[in-house]
Amino acid sequence: MKQEPISYLSRFFVIHFRDRILQPIFNSQNPLKQLAKLCTILVFLNGFLFVFSIKDFWRVPDANQYEKPSVLYGLNDKNEYEPIAEFYRFSRVVLNIKDLAPEEDGKPNKLIRSFVSTEDNNFYSHWGLDLRGIFRAFMVNILAGRIKEGASTITQQVARLKFLNTERSFLRKAREAWLALLLEVVFDKNTMMEIYLNEIPLGHGTIGVGAAARFYFRKDVKDLTWGESALLASLTTRPTEFSPLVNPNSSSAKVRVVFKKFVENGILDIKTAEREYEAFSEYYITLNRSPNDSAFGDRLNRFPYFTEYVRKNLTRYIPKSTLYSGGLKIYSTLNIQHQAQAEKALYAGLKNQTAQSNQRTFTKIDAFDDAYGEIYDLLAMLNEVPDFKFKISRSIRTFNRAWQEDLRDELSALNLLSGTETLGEAIEWSYRSQQTEDFLLPVEGALISMRPDTGHITAMVGGSGFRSDNQQIRAFQAYRQPGSAFKPLVYAAAMEYFNQHPDPKKNVTAASLFSDSPLQYVLEDGDEWNPSNYTGEYSGFIRLREALELSRNSVAVRVLEHTGISNLMPNLEKILQIENRSVPRNFSISLGTFEVSPYELAKSYAVIASGGKQVFPLSVLYVEDINGNVIRDFREDAAKQERKQILSPEICYILTSMMEDVIKKGTGTGASAYGLSRPAAGKTGTTNNFRDAWFAGYSSELVSVVWIGYDTGTLSMGRGMSGGIVAAPIWGRFMSNALSKEKSKPFHFGNAHVIRKQICSISGKLPGSHCSQTEEEYFTKNTVPKEVCDDHRGAGFIPESEPEPPSSHQTKVKKKQKTNIFQGDDDLIR
């Protein structure tokens, strides 16, 4: 059998080992003794190779580097960046050992002495390993017959916390000892203690004494008492078991043991220890916190909806480990003034609307148990189905409903007569602690705002409150029909089509006359579609400006029909900037049947507000690492994107003028309810059966959109709950307060060449000699009307300037229709 030849290198080591090591041993006077020494050395080297790693020499010097939370910043009213949120896996407040000043007697700080006394009384005298402590622990464990006492020094604990896991094995302990020796060589004792105090886990999501002091006592570490220091020192072994929140009795007993060690080690005398322990016992008496409390509840998070949106977006560009522990500085576009006012306006509006809509949640939850309880028990036994259970008993549910709906109000009235202070405080607390009545289904909503010139998102609220059961960011995730808020986009697309293809038959201007009359279409499946106006009334021929003010649905359909779906759609899709979805090709889209999110609608309105340019919304400007180096600059990415001219500035000017009238005298007058005095343009939107209420609008400084509705899209908010009634006041309140510290500016659309012309208010044509009602209207160069109005000759009315008979057009044609109690702007949508 052919054998593989031995390489020269292998032959060299075999010969070298035989001639240089083994041969002298066998030739010695005591070969067994020499061989035993060799085996011992080989065993030691073999074990050392498992314990030792060359990487340790580079890792150990970095032991004093800590995971630090990343901070999210927003702009305050002074245009300065201010922290608004933190991202971290565990709560940590990095401590500098120099901040722990010595006691008045010159001895080390009480917190340091507490941990030294509890964990490693010889910390300042050993060199990483405490051999006497190891021997003592060995004997104690032998006598006890179990692991009763550990022998890890503080240095060994630092090695485990920084570089190892909690596995119980000889190899891990050997690695721990080796790393402890290296740590002692690299760092002095004070630095070692600093690392330990910053790395020790102390329960409830806290890492280090800084975070633990803040969580348990709401204090800084330098202000802790002996009792508080003792409690932190008692949590090092089993923080959950000895947590004062989880097991106050066990915690108190453990703290007493720590005080005994203080006395044994000469840190405190008996009298002082008893006095400090008694003083600290008050902590347990006044402790009233949930065992499930976590340090994450203390995390800085002023605006949770915006924070969560930024977090989700950043994880696409930055590793989660870096985001949570890299100490990044994230500079966002959020304006603190805008965000605070957005939350204030929306939360108040939602609470009020919940009470007005009065949609009851399902309260007959016991009906299933009453009707099918016995059958369910049988099926559960046959099919191993879990028991049908409620979290609370029927009697408690019945009492809670009766208390909130009837008893509380009556008891409050009686208390006003009797004047019982304690009972009054209890009733007041009950009202205050209940944000939304438990028996009412909460109305939800969203608000988003952005700068039209830069696309910077300045405020974003995703619902009625960010809680564990309400984390949907509806500003981005709620896709609902926008109703009449979609009409300006349709009109913009129609006007832009004529601007690109100047066909006189397709001309659409603010003065264009359209028939406001009933419509009827036969669909492909044979069904009929009859879009109607909100009020069920019609005005005959009406100008487009007035139709938008009054939100006439029939006119919106006729505009789409006039331009043609195939002609209008390319421009509409450019305005919407929708990705991965297509707009359906049917007439109902003119009434807002295509579902969009508040974010998408705001982005579309921003195109008009910016003079027709494409807008790329931005929530984060740039991210810096812990050393101040920019690791991701989203401004550069935005600068590379070309802002295409989607609409002409002239059309944006005209549409803005039309939507200004919506707020001044149309369906959006509610937007002025809170004193909005700056130039503003916008449009209301309401869907069938009052399921959704919208208001989308802008000033020269800010674009914002408000949506209100139930999460269940089939539920109505109640008759009359339209966009002008529900959403417009919230929008107006937000815009007025958010921009209160910013100077009001008129709308400006660059070099928009808009022509002003006097027209007949009734026909939309150039006024003739018999036209008594005229007004100024805006046109682009190619859309100025050329036809002179001759509709009023012989009409029979006598104007001040020139007597004429009254015009037949002054009499509005009204066609009454039966209005459904839940009807919205039209049969399909407004």
Side-chain angles (χ1 to χ4, degrees):
M1 182 176 180
K2 187 177 180 179
Q3 295 182 352
E4 185 176 353
I6 300 176
S7 65
Y8 173 79
L9 191 61
S10 299
R11 189 181 300 114
F12 173 80
F13 277 109
V14 169
I15 295 173
H16 182 80
F17 183 76
R18 183 190 63 193
D19 296 342
R20 297 293 181 89
I21 298 177
L22 292 180
Q23 193 67 35
I25 290 176
F26 291 126
N27 294 334
S28 65
Q29 294 180 353
N30 193 346
L32 293 178
K33 183 178 181 181
Q34 295 297 326
L35 188 60
K37 288 183 179 179
L38 176 62
C39 292
T40 303
I41 294 172
L42 290 176
V43 169
F44 175 80
L45 289 175
N46 189 51
F48 185 73
L49 289 174
F50 280 102
V51 173
F52 166 79
S53 173
I54 194 68
K55 295 180 181 178
D56 294 339
F57 292 105
W58 283 270
R59 295 167 63 199
V60 168
D62 292 332
N64 61 345
Q65 302 300 315
Y66 313 106
E67 290 186 3
K68 294 184 179 180
S70 296
V71 180
L72 178 65
Y73 292 87
L75 281 169
N76 58 24
D77 53 6
K78 298 179 181 178
N79 207 33
E80 299 172 347
Y81 283 107
E82 184 178 313
I84 59 174
E86 293 175 318
F87 299 107
Y88 54 68
R89 291 182 297 180
F90 297 98
S91 177
R92 185 199 304 272
V93 178
V94 177
L95 166 72
N96 189 326
I97 197 72
K98 295 179 181 178
D99 294 336
L100 296 178
E103 301 298 323
E104 294 180 358
D105 57 3
K107 294 182 180 179
N109 185 275
K110 60 175 71 71
L111 181 65
I112 296 175
R113 284 195 283 170
S114 296
F115 278 90
V116 169
S117 176
T118 307
E119 295 298 310
D120 186 3
N121 204 38
N122 298 319
F123 172 70
Y124 288 100
S125 60
H126 65 64
W127 38 271
L129 302 177
D130 187 358
L131 299 181
R132 286 183 297 176
I134 293 173
F135 179 75
R136 183 183 65 251
F138 176 76
M139 295 304 298
V140 169
N141 295 334
I142 289 293
L143 294 174
R146 59 186 176 89
I147 302 297
K148 186 177 181 180
E149 184 175 322
S152 293
T153 64
I154 285 179
T155 311
Q156 287 177 274
Q157 293 185 53
V158 169
R160 184 183 71 250
L161 292 170
K162 294 295 293 188
F163 307 115
L164 303 173
N165 54 35
T166 57
E167 177 190 2
R168 287 179 174 269
S169 68
F170 173 78
L171 180 60
R172 199 268 294 170
K173 292 296 291 184
R175 285 276 299 153
E176 182 181 288
W178 159 251
L179 290 169
L181 295 174
L182 287 182
L183 286 168
E184 287 286 343
V185 172
V186 175
F187 299 108
D188 58 52
K189 290 294 185 179
N190 284 335
T191 306
M192 194 71 66
M193 177 57 68
E194 179 184 286
I195 298 172
Y196 176 74
L197 294 178
N198 281 317
E199 291 289 351
I200 187 71
L202 295 174
H204 296 275
T206 61
I207 297 292
V209 294
R214 183 174 66 178
F215 174 75
Y216 290 109
F217 312 117
R218 309 302 184 198
K219 285 184 176 182
D220 191 270
V221 287
K222 61 178 178 291
D223 300 324
L224 297 179
T225 64
W226 276 108
E228 292 163 346
S229 300
L231 187 142
L232 296 186
S234 72
L235 296 171
T236 55
T237 51
R238 295 189 292 275
T240 302
E241 180 179 341
F242 296 119
S243 165
L245 278 61
V246 178
N247 297 308
N249 292 333
S250 299
S251 173
S252 178
K254 180 68 172 178
V255 170
R256 187 172 184 84
V257 171
V258 174
F259 269 98
K260 286 182 179 179
K261 286 194 175 183
F262 289 169
V263 175
E264 291 174 3
N265 296 325
I267 295 176
L268 295 177
D269 57 64
I270 296 177
K271 187 175 181 180
T272 304
E274 289 180 347
R275 184 178 67 250
E276 292 289 342
Y277 179 76
E278 289 297 327
F280 180 67
S281 297
E282 294 293 325
Y283 172 75
Y284 294 99
I285 298 174
T286 59
L287 187 63
N288 184 23
R289 294 171 64 179
S290 169
N292 298 320
D293 273 4
S294 168
F296 290 101
D298 296 332
R299 180 171 58 117
L300 175 64
N301 192 8
R302 295 171 61 182
F303 310 117
Y305 279 114
F306 184 82
T307 301
E308 179 63 10
Y309 171 69
V310 168
R311 186 195 67 82
K312 287 183 176 180
N313 276 347
L314 282 180
T315 52
R316 295 187 297 173
Y317 306 100
I318 298 172
K320 286 186 178 180
S321 58
T322 305
L323 178 62
Y324 292 130
S325 60
L328 304 180
K329 294 181 179 179
I330 305 160
Y331 295 92
S332 74
T333 60
L334 181 131
N335 184 296
I336 295 175
Q337 166 79 2
H338 292 190
Q339 181 68 26
Q341 293 302 327
E343 292 185 355
K344 186 177 181 180
L346 186 64
Y347 291 163
L350 293 179
K351 185 175 182 179
N352 178 64
Q353 192 56 45
T354 294
Q356 285 198 37
S357 296
N358 198 34
Q359 280 281 4
R360 301 296 177 106
T361 56
F362 182 66
T363 58
K364 304 296 183 181
I365 58 178
D366 299 307
F368 179 85
D369 194 31
D370 293 338
Y372 306 106
E374 295 180 359
I375 299 175
Y376 185 87
D377 291 338
L378 179 61
L379 293 174
M381 287 189 294
L382 295 175
N383 299 282
E384 296 184 358
V385 180
D387 293 340
F388 186 73
K389 295 180 179 179
F390 295 107
K391 291 184 178 180
I392 57 176
S393 66
R394 177 180 297 194
S395 58
I396 295 177
R397 289 195 299 274
T398 304
F399 173 77
N400 286 342
R401 286 200 300 271
W403 165 254
Q404 293 173 6
E405 297 185 28
D406 303 313
L407 300 178
R408 182 170 56 182
D409 293 337
E410 295 176 3
L411 191 60
S412 178
L414 290 173
N415 183 66
L416 290 175
L417 299 175
S418 63
T420 306
E421 184 177 351
T422 306
L423 180 60
E425 291 177 354
I427 296 173
E428 181 65 25
W429 176 85
S430 178
Y431 279 115
R432 204 169 49 244
S433 61
Q434 184 179 313
Q435 294 184 356
T436 302
E437 290 78 358
D438 293 338
F439 56 88
L440 293 182
L441 191 66
V443 174
E444 289 294 347
L447 189 155
I448 186 169
S449 65
M450 62 181 68
R451 301 287 189 184
D453 53 343
T454 61
H456 292 179
I457 297 174
T458 64
M460 190 272 292
V461 188
S464 59
F466 194 86
R467 303 179 300 274
S468 60
D469 60 341
N470 189 24
Q471 297 187 7
Q472 182 183 4
I473 307 176
R474 295 171 183 82
F476 292 88
Q477 297 172 326
Y479 288 88
R480 306 297 280 263
Q481 295 178 340
S484 291
F486 201 76
K487 290 175 183 174
L489 310 183
V490 174
Y491 297 168
M495 292 179 181
E496 186 61 32
Y497 175 77
F498 178 81
N499 186 51
Q500 297 168 348
H501 308 86
D503 180 0
K505 296 180 181 179
K506 302 295 183 182
N507 187 18
V508 176
T509 70
S512 295
L513 212 61
F514 288 92
S515 175
D516 179 23
S517 58
L519 290 166
Q520 185 173 9
Y521 294 91
V522 179
L523 305 179
E524 293 180 356
D525 57 3
D527 290 342
E528 293 184 358
W529 178 47
N530 303 292
S532 61
N533 290 333
Y534 170 60
T535 59
E537 299 179 351
Y538 298 88
S539 305
F541 284 96
I542 186 173
R543 289 181 296 116
L544 189 62
R545 176 182 289 272
E546 189 178 0
L548 186 64
E549 290 174 17
L550 303 176
S551 198
R552 298 302 193 193
N553 295 328
S554 61
V555 173
V557 177
R558 293 187 190 278
V559 169
L560 181 58
E561 188 177 32
H562 173 78
T563 304
I565 293 180
S566 59
N567 297 330
L568 183 141
M569 200 58 64
N571 288 325
L572 183 60
E573 290 177 340
K574 289 179 182 178
I575 297 171
L576 287 171
Q577 306 171 69
I578 301 286
E579 297 179 359
N580 304 321
R581 289 189 296 150
S582 58
V583 183
R585 264 62 175 171
N586 57 60
F587 286 150
S588 69
I589 63 167
S590 61
L591 305 181
T593 57
F594 178 65
E595 293 182 344
V596 296
S597 66
Y599 163 76
E600 290 173 338
L601 192 61
K603 186 168 63 170
S604 302
Y605 270 69
V607 171
I608 304 174
S610 66
K613 290 184 178 180
Q614 194 173 7
V615 176
F616 301 102
L618 196 65
S619 59
V620 174
L621 297 175
Y622 61 98
V623 181
E624 290 182 349
D625 63 15
I626 197 170
N627 298 316
N629 302 314
V630 177
I631 60 173
R632 183 80 190 193
D633 196 333
F634 295 96
R635 296 169 300 181
E636 293 181 356
D637 298 339
K640 294 176 183 177
Q641 295 177 302
E642 180 185 357
R643 294 186 64 189
K644 298 179 181 179
Q645 192 74 35
I646 297 175
L647 298 172
S648 66
E650 291 79 10
I651 290 174
C652 296
Y653 185 102
I654 294 169
L655 278 169
T656 299
S657 164
M658 294 168 67
M659 284 191 280
E660 281 187 282
D661 284 350
V662 171
I663 293 178
K664 291 177 182 176
K665 52 185 178 180
T667 59
T669 53
S672 303
Y674 285 89
L676 181 64
S677 57
R678 65 183 62 231
K683 184 67 186 77
T684 56
T686 312
T687 58
N688 270 4
N689 297 342
F690 306 99
R691 296 168 183 167
D692 304 280
W694 293 78
F695 195 93
Y698 53 90
S699 65
S700 61
E701 305 87 5
L702 198 64
V703 179
S704 62
V705 170
V706 173
W707 166 78
I708 307 293
Y710 285 107
D711 280 337
T712 304
T714 56
L715 292 180
S716 169
M717 288 187 289
R719 185 178 182 181
M721 297 296 104
S722 63
I725 299 297
V726 178
I730 297 174
W731 184 90
R733 180 181 182 180
F734 163 70
M735 292 291 285
S736 177
N737 295 333
L739 298 173
S740 61
K741 297 182 180 181
E742 299 182 31
K743 186 178 180 181
S744 177
K745 300 177 184 177
F747 286 110
H748 180 68
F749 297 100
N751 298 321
H753 300 291
V754 177
I755 298 174
R756 300 180 183 180
K757 278 286 184 180
Q758 288 291 124
I759 61 166
C760 174
S761 300
I762 299 173
S763 67
K765 303 174 184 178
L766 295 176
S769 59
H770 303 284
C771 295
S772 62
Q773 300 181 34
T774 63
E775 61 183 85
E776 192 176 63
E777 189 55 271
Y778 304 103
F779 302 92
T780 61
K781 182 179 179 181
N782 298 327
T783 61
V784 178
K786 298 178 181 178
E787 187 178 356
V788 177
C789 178
D790 194 30
D791 296 349
H792 312 301
R793 186 178 299 278
F797 70 91
I798 304 175
E800 295 181 1
S801 58
E802 195 171 342
E804 287 290 339
S807 168
S808 60
H809 288 290
Q810 280 190 311
T811 305
K812 304 259 183 177
V813 179
K814 296 185 178 180
K815 184 173 180 179
K816 289 283 184 181
Q817 288 189 356
K818 187 176 180 180
T819 305
N820 188 293
I821 189 172
F822 293 113
Q823 186 176 4
D825 287 52
D826 51 73
D827 288 345
L828 263 189
I829 197 162
R830 175 185 172 204

